[in-house]
Amino acid sequence: QVQLVESGGGLVQPGGSLQLSCAASGSIFRISVMGWYRQAPGKQRELVASILNYGSTNYRDSVKGRFTISRDNAKNTVYLQMNSLKPEDTAVYYCHAGTGLGFDYWGQGTQVTVSS
């Protein structure tokens, strides 16, 4: 089992920044990829960014150049730095961890609201 605990959401004005953190515990040696998804009201959950164990990253087009995903293996933590936030970034953000055997683990979600 893998447990994921997120932090860092909140309310921010357009153009502002937030950093999300996700701390993993448990059977972390099984994790091959970590990432962030988001779900806005009435919409499907979508991938925002992901990072593989060896550091390769992937971003959805709408956040490229604004968001940065990183991980600190010593702290078993993955971060999502979000800059130049837009109202359309408003959503519940979920941390995700995937294993090589196809198991998926999710955090509880943290609300990000971009509004003036």
Side-chain angles (χ1 to χ4, degrees):
Q1 291 288 328
V2 173
Q3 295 79 43
L4 303 172
V5 178
E6 303 137 336
S7 60
L11 172 65
V12 63
Q13 292 186 341
S17 298
L18 280 175
Q19 185 183 65
L20 305 182
S21 300
C22 175
S25 61
S27 301
I28 56 175
F29 62 93
R30 300 182 185 275
I31 297 173
S32 59
V33 59
M34 293 190 72
W36 293 92
Y37 286 69
R38 66 186 181 189
Q39 187 167 20
K43 295 187 177 181
Q44 290 188 332
R45 190 172 296 190
E46 60 185 22
L47 174 65
V48 177
S50 62
I51 184 167
L52 297 176
N53 278 356
Y54 51 86
S56 177
T57 59
N58 179 53
Y59 297 92
R60 71 179 302 103
D61 287 346
S62 62
V63 307
K64 286 180 180 178
R66 300 189 297 123
F67 291 11
T68 302
I69 189 170
S70 61
R71 63 193 294 171
D72 184 334
N73 290 330
K75 295 182 179 180
N76 301 318
T77 300
V78 64
Y79 304 95
L80 185 68
Q81 178 65 41
M82 304 184 293
N83 299 328
S84 302
L85 282 160
K86 304 176 180 180
E88 50 264 43
D89 295 318
T90 295
V92 177
Y93 283 70
Y94 295 91
C95 180
H96 168 262
T99 72
L101 294 178
F103 291 99
D104 294 300
Y105 299 93
W106 297 93
Q108 79 280 5
T110 184
Q111 177 70 46
V112 172
T113 302
V114 185
S115 175
S116 55

